[in-house]
Amino acid sequence: MGTTWRVLYAARQDASGEVRAAIEARLAELVGALSHWEPTSALCRFNRTAGEWVTLPRDFARVVDAGLHLARLSGGAFDPAIGALVDLWGFGPPGPRPLPDKAAIEAARAVSGWQRLDWDRESRRLRQPGGVRLDLSGIAKGYAADELADLLGRMGIGHCLVEVGGELVGRGIRPDGEPWWVDLEAPPGPTLPPLRIALHQMGVATSGDYVRGGHSIDPRTGRAPDNRVVSVSVVAKTAMAADALATAIAIAWPDLAALEPLRPAARIVTQSGEVLTAPLQTMIDD
């Protein structure tokens, strides 16, 4: 997926070789299902089909189901079906491209959008109408972090901190009895107080343009959002949920009415300061 991973864990016996091999094998499976950078992945094969119902592998199906659910709830602020727009703006596998004009943006929007997909959850079948390109980069890294933590659990390792591309999951506690503490990164700009989160059976993810430069696209307009958001960090029960919600909030801000039923625990950093949503403030106060 073009990113890095890191795993810290506590175990009574040294099984690092076995653990690393299992992690690498699981990551290879996830890349083979979800990566839009790997031409032979299940995702890329789906993107090349037209007018067909495709039965998705388990990992692919789970991420698509979660992504389409959030797309509906967010009114399209999160959309897993904007690969054509991502590529048009030069943020996808084809690499940098000239700035698109209005006609090119509208043409890409015409073949984009979660509403163009038909999803049969029970049979794990997704219909590709033709031209739609999925891009799961706003949710897949979080899912991968969750899956690695689950993998370790099946191996009898219940105490771990997993990080995939900056999205983290904490399970259990550290050997010293402390929780897995994670400092939310402060982006350049306004001076912000440090914010440390105890990841106990939780995930955290951050979405922002301050590391790789502007690469956010509002699926509803096909252009960069005009809301002066620098970064969004979300704490949730899973890293997949945190990952997708961080992306949705970064696009939808300041109107989070559609996401309010989910009660996101979020830190939103803008060019003028930060806002903590009520659920996150409650977590900090507790």
Side-chain angles (χ1 to χ4, degrees):
M1 297 182 188
T3 191
T4 60
W5 63 271
R6 181 175 60 147
V7 173
L8 304 176
Y9 68 91
R12 294 186 179 278
Q13 296 180 333
D14 181 9
S16 56
E18 178 186 358
V19 171
R20 186 180 186 92
I23 288 172
E24 290 179 341
R26 186 69 182 108
L27 286 172
E29 291 176 349
L30 294 171
V31 168
L34 306 173
S35 176
H36 67 294
W37 297 85
E38 174 52 59
T40 61
S41 72
L43 182 148
C44 287
R45 294 198 304 272
F46 175 85
N47 286 350
R48 291 193 293 267
T49 63
E52 299 178 24
W53 283 94
V54 179
T55 301
L56 305 186
R58 172 181 172 274
D59 293 313
F60 195 178
R62 292 180 70 184
V63 176
V64 163
D65 187 60
L68 292 176
H69 178 66
L70 184 57
R72 286 190 293 272
L73 288 179
S74 68
F78 178 88
D79 192 333
I82 61 166
L85 283 164
V86 172
D87 291 347
L88 179 67
W89 283 96
F91 306 144
R97 299 184 58 176
L99 287 177
D101 58 21
K102 181 178 179 180
I105 294 171
E106 292 307 311
R109 289 184 66 202
V111 295
S112 299
W114 64 275
Q115 302 96 327
R116 301 190 68 229
L117 298 168
D118 295 312
W119 173 229
D120 183 345
R121 185 181 189 187
E122 294 302 317
S123 64
R124 299 202 326 244
R125 294 193 312 152
L126 186 66
R127 184 180 181 277
Q128 161 68 281
V132 173
R133 277 180 260 169
L134 296 178
D135 180 344
L136 303 177
S137 57
I139 190 172
K141 294 194 298 294
Y143 178 77
D146 292 328
E147 286 298 299
L148 292 190
D150 289 346
L151 170 67
L152 293 174
R154 292 193 295 273
M155 298 179 72
I157 299 172
H159 305 284
C160 63
L161 179 68
V162 176
E163 181 258 327
V164 177
E167 327 303 10
L168 297 106
V169 175
R171 303 275 175 87
I173 58 176
R174 302 189 324 186
D176 60 5
E178 288 285 313
W180 299 101
W181 291 104
V182 173
D183 291 330
L184 298 188
E185 187 175 42
T191 302
L192 301 174
L195 190 54
R196 176 167 286 191
I197 302 294
L199 281 189
H200 182 64
Q201 310 301 109
M202 303 187 80
V204 63
T206 297
S207 177
D209 290 340
Y210 61 93
V211 175
R212 295 191 291 128
H215 63 277
S216 298
I217 299 172
D218 186 338
R220 302 166 299 183
T221 66
R223 294 171 170 79
D226 185 22
N227 57 11
R228 303 173 69 83
V229 169
V230 178
S231 74
V232 175
S233 297
V234 173
V235 183
K237 291 183 177 179
T238 67
M240 177 171 68
D243 194 6
L245 277 169
T247 301
I249 292 171
I251 298 299
W253 178 261
D255 182 7
L256 302 185
L259 297 172
E260 187 59 34
L262 299 176
R263 292 188 53 78
R267 177 204 205 190
I268 301 111
V269 180
T270 69
Q271 294 178 8
S272 57
E274 71 171 358
V275 175
L276 305 183
T277 63
L280 183 59
Q281 188 65 62
T282 299
M283 291 174 60
I284 294 171
D285 293 342
D286 290 345

